[in-house]
């Protein structure tokens, strides 16, 4: 079992339309208006009754080779400048009126550029009525004998028509007549606008054939305009007060005297038959062509028109005049309307006067006119788009969605293009050569519209009652009135109507079938029955006359009572007027007080907002003050902690330097002792030589030795005292306690051995390249001996493109706290690389680490060459002797100067 998906609205089924495979193309007619002046150049030529030729004017080249282009367009009918309004109506609108009477819908609209005669074709002028007045005249000429009384048909708010009985219709007529009598005088109601008085000539009246005599008809008209893609009701009464506004004490006009309610735009809705209609549109029931045209002219005066360069009265909106015809069959007796809403048939004809497409450059439109022209052109473009898609779907078999909803014009008439009635278009063109380009586009669109086919509307079902009911009922009434006049004198029409209403209570007639020519029983019996019925009818007429007299007396009493009541009402109205004036003054005072109270409330609100702003500022300042206090406390604590740390570092550094100075003093003392020992040895040798030269027994000086005298040799390593035999640092006297060394009178000989120069390895950062030395401003000066000094470097606190473009290498000095709490300095090096976009990038290649730590106190005793520590336990003292130092190379960090407290790595040669 398939279950419907939850939370999903079921799709509404499409409207069930009668299947009809017959289609008719859209009827397109061309009408050419006369030129405004005889000397103007013409660009349109009527070749035949169905063909027109369009040729380019002088100086306008169409083809690339410079030749003139002439194009022929075919239409259903072409009307030249000599065709009058009557001939146009016979071919275009008359078939639509016939279909309207037979229950079929129709759409007729005029299309063309501005100033091409569309409004004249639709409305006409005095003596030359257009399609609209002629359609109304033909409609009422055809259905006038069969019209129902006013308000028997009543429109609802859902595009339908309801039926009322004769009594309800009579009451509503009386109520409306009383309202009209109060609001208007009889002379004003019968006055006809002189502009529309002579629209049609009597000899031009026409009538449709084949009107159903057994039905009652009623006509409703409505008039709307589509302005800037909004729908407005032109028959809606606006609340406009023309009285001069009154002024109160405060110098401002009263609201009720100056308030003007602008017309509200209407919305489109869909009825139960899926037909589009304008919701809330006023529909007026009319009973004659003059009354209908009077309603039309009342709305025409409210239509948006403006003066442009091309047209003195240019329509700025699309107008739609809707004629709705409601018809219902009569009952079996042919006297009253059948009270069945399902039997009511409603058909309508829409007469549309489309606003003309225009170019703002030619019309000289400005401001509001430009906006109106843009909306007009956009709506016409949407109409053209819908026609093109309909044509493509029908010719190519596609199923593209037609964008009816893009414009109110196409959305309102989408049912007609879907097969709800006939569609006919009158294309109006101006043969003036100045409108050639616009006319060319209009002709192309009109020729394309002919290719769209619309489904032919089906005929409405025929009522099951016997035709000819109305004629038989009228014949029976006429015969009955004739017989009664012969027997009892003339009877007025009111009495006949009363008798007809009471005829149902008379005794039935006997059987009057004659089977024998000599039958003398049937006719006397029928005559006796008729006489009996006549006697009863006479009694009923007398009873009715008595009742009528009584009713007259009652009506007279009611009239007198009504007059007294009217006088009383007049007095009460005077009192109410005084009360209204008092209420009006009170309202004025109340409005003044309300304005004053509103002003005070606004001031209070402003003060509250100001107070809130000040409180927020105060709160934010307090929070900022607290934040700064906390920050100051943290900075003070950090400062104290840093002072303590720096004091510890100073004490540690002082202790290290003291140890280092002591070591250097001891080394210097040892070196001086060695030098003194060498000098002593030399002195001893010199003393021995001098002693040998002064030996007795030799008077002559000693012979000169040929061989060079050997220099005194230092004792060998075995002859030197070992480290164990040397006095320890504690046993050695200090510099203060040590006696000053005695200097020899003779100059000490220079050492013959070549001094050993310590091996120095060049730092990697001291090459020929140019460096960017990036030292952030947050770096601390540790005061160490070893400092990274990079020659030929640009020192920056933040890297920039200018510095990077001048250098090849980059080094970043980064400080961080190690795990033991000491500060570790890292030198992050990299190469500066040119990027493809013309900038610079840094590729890091190496990191050097400078770590400062507290050295442990170790023994400074020299270690003999024989004694060695076990592997893995060597300390700094393992390579402090001369022999080890000479055989070990030191790899130092960039910029280091062998200061104490830095970590060095020894590499054996």
């Amino acid at each position: 079992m398939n279950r419907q998906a939850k939370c999903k609205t079921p799709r509404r089924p499409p409207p069930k339309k009668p299947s009809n495979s017959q289609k008719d193309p859209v009827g397109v007619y061309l009408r050419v208006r006369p030129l405004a002046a005889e000397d103007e150049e013409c660009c349109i030529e009527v070749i035949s009754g169905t063909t027109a030729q369009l040729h380019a004017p002088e100086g306008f080249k169409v083809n690339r080779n410079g030749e003139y282009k002439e194009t022929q367009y075919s239409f259903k009918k072409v009307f030249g400048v000599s065709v009058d309004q009557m001939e146009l109506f016979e071919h275009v609108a008359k078939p639509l009126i016939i279909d309207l009477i037979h229950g079929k819908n129709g759409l007729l609209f005029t299309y063309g550029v501005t100033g091409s005669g569309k409004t004249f074709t639709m409305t006409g002028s005095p003596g030359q009525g257009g399609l609209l007045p002629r359609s109304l005249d033909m409609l009422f000429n055809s259905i006038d004998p069969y019209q129902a009384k006013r308000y028997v048909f009543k429109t609802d708010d859902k595009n339908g028509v309801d039926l009322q009985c004769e009594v309800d219709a009579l009451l509503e007529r009386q109520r409306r007549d009383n309202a009209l009598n109060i609001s208007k005088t009889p002379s004003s109601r019968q006055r006809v606008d002189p502009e529309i008085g002579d629209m049609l000539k009597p000899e031009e009246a026409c009538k449709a054939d084949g009107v159903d005599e057994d039905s009652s008809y009623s006509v409703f008209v409505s008039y709307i305009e589509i302005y800037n893609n909004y729908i407005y009701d032109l028959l809606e009464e606006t609340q406009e007060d023309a009285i001069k506004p009154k002024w109160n004490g405060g110098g401002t006009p009263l609201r009720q005297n100056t308030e003007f309610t602008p017309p509200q735009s209407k919305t489109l809705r869909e009825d139960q038959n899926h037909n589009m209609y304008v919701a809330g549109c006023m529909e007026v029931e009319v009973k004659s062509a003059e009354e209908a045209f009077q309603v039309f002219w009342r709305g025409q005066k409210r239509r948006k028109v403006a003066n442009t360069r091309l047209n003195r009265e240019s329509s700025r909106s699309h107008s739609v005049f809707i004629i709705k015809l409601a018809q219902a069959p009569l009952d079996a007796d042919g006297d009253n309307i059948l009270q069945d809403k399902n039997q009511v048939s409603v058909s309508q004809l829409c007469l549309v006067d489309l606003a003309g497409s225009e170019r703002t450059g030619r019309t000289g439109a400005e401001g509001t006119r430009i906006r109106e022209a843009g909306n007009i052109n956009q709506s016409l473009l949407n109409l053209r788009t819908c026609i093109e898609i309909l044509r493509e779907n029908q010719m190519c078999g596609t199923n593209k969605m037609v964008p009816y909803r893009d414009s109110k014009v196409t959305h309102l008439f989408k049912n007609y293009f879907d097969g709800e009635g006939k569609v006919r278009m009158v294309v109006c063109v101006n043969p003036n050569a100045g409108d050639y380009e616009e006319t060319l586009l209009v002709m192309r669109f009109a020729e394309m519209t002919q290719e769209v086919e619309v489904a032919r509307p089906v005929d409405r079902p025929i009522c099951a009652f016997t035709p000819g009911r109305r004629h038989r009922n009228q014949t029976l009434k006429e015969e009955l009135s004739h017989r009664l006049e012969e027997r009892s004198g003339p009877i007025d029409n009111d009495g006949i109507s009363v008798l007809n209403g009471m005829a149902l209570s008379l005794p039935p007639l006997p059987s009057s079938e004659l089977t024998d020519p000599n039958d003398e029983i049937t006719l006397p019996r029928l005559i006796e029955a008729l006489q009996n019925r006549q006697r009863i009818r006479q009694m009923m007429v007398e009873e009715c006359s008595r009742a009528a007299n009584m009713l007259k007396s009652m009506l007279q009493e009611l009239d007198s009572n009504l007059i007294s009541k009217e006088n009383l009402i007049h007095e009460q109205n005077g009192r109410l007027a005084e009360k209204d004036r008092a209420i009006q003054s009170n309202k004025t005072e109340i409005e003044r007080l309300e304005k004053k109270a509103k002003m005070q409330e606004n001031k209070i609100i402003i003060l509250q907002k100001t107070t809130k702003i000040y409180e927020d500022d105060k709160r934010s300042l307090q929070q900022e003050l607290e934040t700064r206090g906390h920050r100051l406390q943290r900075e003070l604590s950090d400062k104290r902690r840093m002072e303590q740390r720096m004091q510890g570092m100073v004490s540690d550094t002082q202790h290290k330097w003291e140890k280092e100075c002591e070591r250097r003093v001891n080394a210097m003392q040892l070196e001086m002792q060695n030098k003194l020992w060498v000098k002593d040895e030399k002195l001893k040798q010199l003393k021995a030589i001098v002693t040998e030269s002064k030996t007795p027994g030799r008077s002559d000086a000693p012979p000169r030795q040929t061989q060079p005298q050997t220099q005194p040799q230092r004792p060998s390593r075995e002859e030197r005292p070992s480290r164990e035999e040397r006095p320890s640092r504690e046993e050695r006297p200090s510099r203060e306690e040590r006696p000053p060394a005695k200097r020899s009178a003779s100059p000490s000989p220079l050492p013959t051995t070549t001094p050993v120069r310590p091996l120095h390895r060049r730092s990697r950062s001291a090459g020929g390249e140019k460096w960017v030395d990036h030292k952030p401003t947050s770096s601390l000066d540790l005061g160490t001996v070893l400092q990274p000094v990079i020659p030929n470097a640009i020192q920056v606190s933040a890297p920039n493109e200018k510095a990077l473009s001048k250098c090849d290498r980059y080094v970043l000095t980064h400080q961080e706290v190690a795990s033991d709490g000491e500060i570790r300095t890292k030198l992050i090096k990299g190469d500066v690389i040119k990027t493809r976009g013309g900038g610079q990038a840094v590729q890091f290649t190496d990191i050097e680490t400078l770590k400062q730590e507290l050295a442990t106190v170790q023994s400074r005793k020299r270690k003999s060459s024989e004694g060695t520590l076990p592997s893995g336990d060597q300390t700094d003292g393992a390579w402090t002797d001369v022999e080890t130092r000479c055989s070990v190379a030191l790899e130092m960090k960039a910029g280091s100067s062998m200061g104490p407290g830095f970590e060095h790595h020894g590499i054996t040669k």
Side-chain angles (χ1 to χ4, degrees):
M1 180 179 179
N2 296 329
R3 304 181 66 179
Q4 189 176 2
K6 295 182 178 180
C7 301
K8 187 175 182 181
T9 304
R11 184 168 181 175
R12 183 174 60 180
K16 295 181 179 179
K17 298 180 180 180
S19 60
N20 187 9
S21 58
Q22 298 180 354
K23 292 185 178 181
D24 295 326
V26 176
V28 180
Y29 301 85
L30 178 67
R31 186 178 193 186
V32 183
R33 64 161 291 176
L35 290 172
E38 296 180 358
D39 56 347
E40 290 182 353
E41 184 180 2
C42 181
C43 64
I44 297 177
E45 179 183 358
V46 179
I47 297 178
S48 64
T50 57
T51 307
Q53 181 173 316
L54 182 66
H55 56 81
E58 294 290 339
F60 190 90
K61 307 297 181 181
V62 180
N63 293 338
R64 294 182 179 179
N65 54 8
E67 297 178 357
Y68 292 98
K69 182 178 180 180
E70 297 180 353
T71 310
Q72 292 185 0
Y73 299 92
S74 298
F75 302 92
K76 189 171 184 179
K77 185 71 175 176
V78 176
F79 302 97
V81 295
S82 60
V83 176
D84 58 354
Q85 299 277 58
M86 186 63 190
E87 184 178 354
L88 178 68
F89 171 77
E90 289 286 339
H91 288 86
V92 178
K94 186 175 181 179
L96 296 179
I97 296 298
I98 295 174
D99 289 342
L100 177 68
I101 296 174
H102 289 85
K104 299 177 183 179
N105 299 330
L107 172 64
L108 173 62
F109 61 94
T110 57
Y111 181 86
V113 300
T114 181
S116 59
K118 300 182 298 300
T119 304
F120 175 80
T121 300
M122 184 61 67
T123 306
S125 61
Q128 295 180 355
L131 299 178
L132 191 147
R134 294 181 185 275
S135 299
L136 293 174
D137 183 72
M138 178 179 176
L139 176 63
F140 283 101
N141 290 339
S142 302
I143 66 170
D144 185 69
Y146 316 116
Q147 286 194 80
K149 293 183 179 180
R150 198 181 296 269
Y151 306 122
V152 173
F153 292 89
K154 186 176 181 180
T155 59
D156 56 11
D157 295 333
K158 299 178 181 179
N159 201 30
V161 176
D162 294 330
L163 287 173
Q164 292 189 131
C165 62
E166 292 286 344
V167 177
D168 294 338
L170 178 62
L171 293 176
E172 188 165 356
R173 282 197 299 272
Q174 292 177 355
R175 185 170 61 253
R176 297 290 180 91
D177 291 341
N178 293 333
L180 290 176
N181 290 331
I182 295 174
S183 61
K184 296 183 179 180
T185 60
S187 59
S188 64
R189 285 182 297 175
Q190 297 175 2
R191 188 182 306 163
V192 179
D193 197 326
E195 296 182 10
I196 61 174
D198 299 325
M199 275 288 180
L200 301 178
K201 299 178 181 178
E203 62 272 10
E204 293 179 350
C206 58
K207 182 179 179 181
D209 298 329
V211 180
D212 187 8
E213 300 177 355
D214 296 325
S215 296
S216 290
Y217 301 89
S218 186
V219 180
F220 299 87
V221 295
S222 58
Y223 196 19
I224 62 173
E225 71 170 352
I226 302 175
Y227 176 72
N228 288 337
N229 208 28
Y230 290 95
I231 300 177
Y232 297 98
D233 188 2
L234 294 177
L235 302 180
E236 185 179 14
E237 296 291 339
T238 57
Q239 299 176 1
E240 183 178 3
D241 191 3
I243 302 176
K244 182 179 180 180
K246 298 180 181 180
W247 300 84
N248 57 14
T252 58
L254 299 178
R255 292 178 57 86
Q256 64 270 15
N257 289 336
T258 59
E259 185 175 8
F260 171 69
T261 304
Q264 299 294 325
S265 62
K266 306 299 180 180
T267 58
L268 290 177
R269 293 184 181 176
E270 194 176 37
D271 61 6
Q272 61 182 357
N273 296 324
H274 306 284
N275 295 323
M276 303 306 301
Y277 71 99
V278 180
C281 179
M282 180 180 292
E283 295 180 338
V284 182
E285 185 177 7
V286 291
K287 293 300 178 183
S288 65
E290 293 78 14
E291 183 183 358
F293 199 76
Q294 186 77 17
V295 172
F296 164 78
W297 197 251
R298 187 178 70 202
Q300 184 73 4
K301 292 181 178 180
R302 300 177 182 175
R303 189 182 175 188
K304 306 292 187 305
V305 294
N307 184 14
T308 62
R309 190 181 300 170
L310 300 179
N311 193 355
R312 186 172 60 87
E313 292 182 359
S314 176
S315 301
R316 313 311 295 171
S317 64
H318 309 296
S319 66
V320 182
F321 187 79
I322 303 174
I323 304 173
K324 183 181 290 186
L325 178 64
Q327 51 182 317
L330 300 176
D331 55 8
D333 296 331
D335 192 12
N336 299 318
I337 298 175
L338 184 65
Q339 296 295 320
D340 187 2
K341 186 177 180 180
N342 296 327
Q343 295 294 331
V344 178
S345 175
V346 180
S347 56
Q348 66 180 14
L349 172 63
C350 295
L351 302 176
V352 185
D353 183 10
L354 295 177
S357 60
E358 61 185 28
R359 294 186 179 181
T360 56
R362 298 188 62 222
T363 58
E366 295 179 359
T368 307
R369 303 286 89 82
I370 292 180
R371 182 182 173 214
E372 293 171 351
N375 289 314
I376 291 171
N377 294 336
Q378 183 63 36
S379 62
L380 295 177
L381 179 61
N382 292 333
L383 175 63
R384 180 169 184 167
T385 303
C386 294
I387 295 294
E388 288 177 355
I389 295 178
L390 280 171
R391 173 176 169 271
E392 182 180 355
N393 291 341
Q394 294 177 4
M395 298 185 66
C396 303
T398 58
N399 193 19
K400 292 184 180 180
M401 185 185 70
V402 183
Y404 290 118
R405 294 178 178 269
D406 292 350
S407 174
K408 294 293 177 60
V409 175
T410 55
H411 193 194
L412 178 61
F413 303 127
K414 81 178 202 60
N415 304 105
Y416 294 92
F417 293 100
D418 290 340
E420 289 294 336
K422 287 185 178 181
V423 180
R424 294 198 173 185
M425 178 174 68
V426 179
V427 179
C428 300
V429 294
N430 188 356
N432 188 3
D435 295 337
Y436 172 77
E437 296 184 42
E438 291 86 352
T439 304
L440 180 63
L441 297 176
V442 170
M443 301 282 273
R444 289 176 180 175
F445 169 69
E447 191 175 44
M448 179 191 63
T449 306
Q450 293 182 120
E451 299 177 2
V452 177
E453 295 182 349
V454 179
R456 184 179 301 175
V458 297
D459 297 329
R460 64 185 182 93
I462 300 175
C463 183
F465 293 113
T466 305
R469 301 182 298 278
R470 184 191 295 269
H471 179 68
R472 288 198 305 272
N473 189 21
Q474 291 180 354
T475 304
L476 179 60
K477 287 181 181 180
E478 291 175 358
E479 182 67 23
L480 184 59
S481 62
H482 179 67
R483 293 287 183 92
L484 291 176
E485 287 177 1
E486 291 179 352
R487 292 177 176 269
S488 58
I491 300 176
D492 55 353
N493 294 329
D494 294 336
I496 295 175
S497 61
V498 173
L499 290 176
N500 291 333
M502 298 180 180
L504 298 176
S505 60
L506 296 175
L509 294 175
S511 178
S512 59
E513 182 180 1
L514 295 176
T515 58
D516 188 1
N518 298 323
D519 187 1
E520 297 179 356
I521 299 175
T522 303
L523 290 177
R525 186 170 55 188
L526 179 60
I527 293 172
E528 184 180 359
L530 291 175
Q531 290 177 354
N532 190 14
R533 289 171 63 91
Q534 177 64 23
R535 187 171 55 257
I536 295 173
R537 187 180 294 274
Q538 187 67 29
M539 294 172 59
M540 297 173 84
V541 169
E542 293 177 357
E543 185 68 24
C544 288
S545 63
R546 286 195 299 269
N549 294 329
M550 292 177 61
L551 183 61
K552 287 181 181 180
S553 61
M554 292 175 64
L555 288 175
Q556 291 176 357
E557 293 179 359
L558 290 176
D559 288 337
S560 60
N561 294 333
L562 183 61
I563 292 172
S564 61
K565 293 286 181 66
E566 287 180 353
N567 295 331
L568 181 61
I569 289 172
H570 184 69
E571 294 177 0
Q572 296 295 332
N573 288 334
R575 296 178 182 177
L576 287 176
E578 295 178 357
K579 297 291 184 181
D580 288 338
R581 287 192 291 271
I583 292 172
Q584 190 64 37
S585 61
N586 293 333
K587 284 183 178 180
T588 305
E589 184 67 19
I590 290 171
E591 287 180 358
R592 187 182 65 80
L593 295 176
E594 286 179 352
K595 289 181 180 178
K596 187 175 180 180
K598 190 174 294 183
M599 292 174 61
Q600 298 296 332
E601 289 178 357
N602 293 333
K603 290 181 179 179
I604 292 172
I605 292 172
I606 293 171
L607 292 175
Q608 290 178 352
K609 290 182 178 179
T610 307
T611 306
K612 186 177 180 182
I613 292 172
Y614 287 156
E615 290 179 354
D616 294 339
D617 293 342
K618 180 182 177 182
R619 194 179 300 110
S620 62
L621 291 174
Q622 288 179 354
Q623 292 178 358
E624 186 177 358
L625 184 61
E626 293 176 358
T627 304
R628 291 188 177 182
H630 292 319
R631 188 184 303 166
L632 183 60
Q633 293 292 335
R634 286 197 300 271
E635 290 178 355
L636 291 175
S637 61
D638 293 340
K639 184 177 180 182
R640 288 193 293 269
R641 189 161 49 250
M642 184 63 69
E643 288 177 354
Q644 294 175 2
R645 184 174 178 184
M646 294 303 294
Q647 289 177 0
M649 293 175 64
V650 169
S651 60
D652 293 341
T653 306
Q654 184 177 0
H655 180 68
K656 290 178 183 179
W657 277 108
E658 287 177 357
K659 296 295 184 180
E660 182 66 21
C661 290
E662 185 179 357
R663 184 185 64 79
R664 291 185 181 183
V665 168
N666 293 334
M668 187 64 70
Q669 287 177 358
L670 181 59
E671 185 178 357
M672 295 303 293
Q673 287 177 5
N674 291 334
K675 289 182 179 180
L676 289 175
W677 181 79
V678 171
K679 288 181 180 181
D680 289 342
E681 289 294 330
K682 290 182 180 181
L683 288 174
K684 285 179 183 182
Q685 292 178 6
L686 183 61
K687 186 177 180 180
I689 294 171
V690 172
T691 303
E692 289 178 359
S693 63
K694 294 181 179 181
T695 302
R698 294 186 64 180
S699 56
D700 300 332
R704 190 175 181 179
Q705 296 179 2
T706 58
Q707 295 180 357
Q709 188 177 359
T710 60
Q711 295 182 1
Q713 299 292 330
R714 294 182 62 179
S716 64
R717 191 179 296 273
E718 288 82 4
E719 295 176 356
R720 296 179 186 176
S722 63
R723 182 169 294 185
E724 288 80 1
E725 295 175 358
R726 297 175 185 174
S728 63
R729 183 174 299 179
E730 288 79 4
E731 296 174 358
R732 296 175 185 173
S734 62
R735 180 174 296 181
E736 292 80 5
E737 298 175 354
R738 188 179 300 162
K742 296 181 179 180
R743 293 181 179 271
S744 175
S746 61
S748 59
L750 295 174
T752 58
T753 60
T754 305
V756 179
R757 186 173 182 178
L759 181 63
H760 176 69
R761 185 169 181 260
R762 187 175 181 88
S763 175
R764 297 178 183 175
S765 302
E769 305 92 346
K770 199 167 184 179
W771 289 74
V772 176
D773 188 2
H774 179 195
K775 289 184 178 181
T777 55
S778 60
S779 300
L780 299 177
D781 187 8
L782 303 179
T784 57
V785 176
L786 294 180
Q787 292 290 337
V789 179
I790 304 174
N792 196 17
I794 300 175
Q795 292 187 358
V796 294
S797 59
N800 53 56
E801 185 178 359
K802 183 177 180 181
L804 291 174
S805 63
K806 296 179 180 180
C807 301
D808 302 325
R809 302 295 301 277
Y810 171 84
V811 60
L812 170 64
T813 304
H814 173 66
Q815 291 182 345
E816 63 182 6
V817 181
S819 60
D820 55 357
E822 299 296 338
I823 295 179
R824 179 188 300 170
T825 303
K826 289 185 177 181
L827 301 179
I828 305 173
K829 301 185 295 182
D831 297 332
V832 179
I833 302 173
K834 301 291 184 180
T835 61
R836 182 177 297 177
Q840 289 79 24
V842 178
Q843 180 178 5
F844 295 103
T845 58
D846 193 7
I847 300 177
E848 294 182 5
T849 305
L850 304 179
K851 182 178 180 184
Q852 183 180 3
E853 63 183 5
L854 181 62
T856 58
V857 180
Q858 296 180 353
S859 177
R860 293 295 182 180
K861 294 182 181 180
R862 292 181 181 274
K863 184 172 63 175
S864 60
S865 60
E866 290 83 10
T868 58
L869 292 175
S871 61
D873 295 336
Q874 293 183 359
T875 60
D876 291 343
W879 50 277
T880 54
D881 57 319
V882 177
E883 182 177 313
T884 307
R885 285 202 304 269
C886 293
S887 61
V888 174
L890 296 179
E891 182 181 3
M892 299 164 20
K893 302 300 178 180
S896 177
S897 60
M898 283 295 292
F902 285 90
E903 180 181 359
H904 306 288
H905 305 282
I907 303 174
T908 306
K909 291 183 178 179

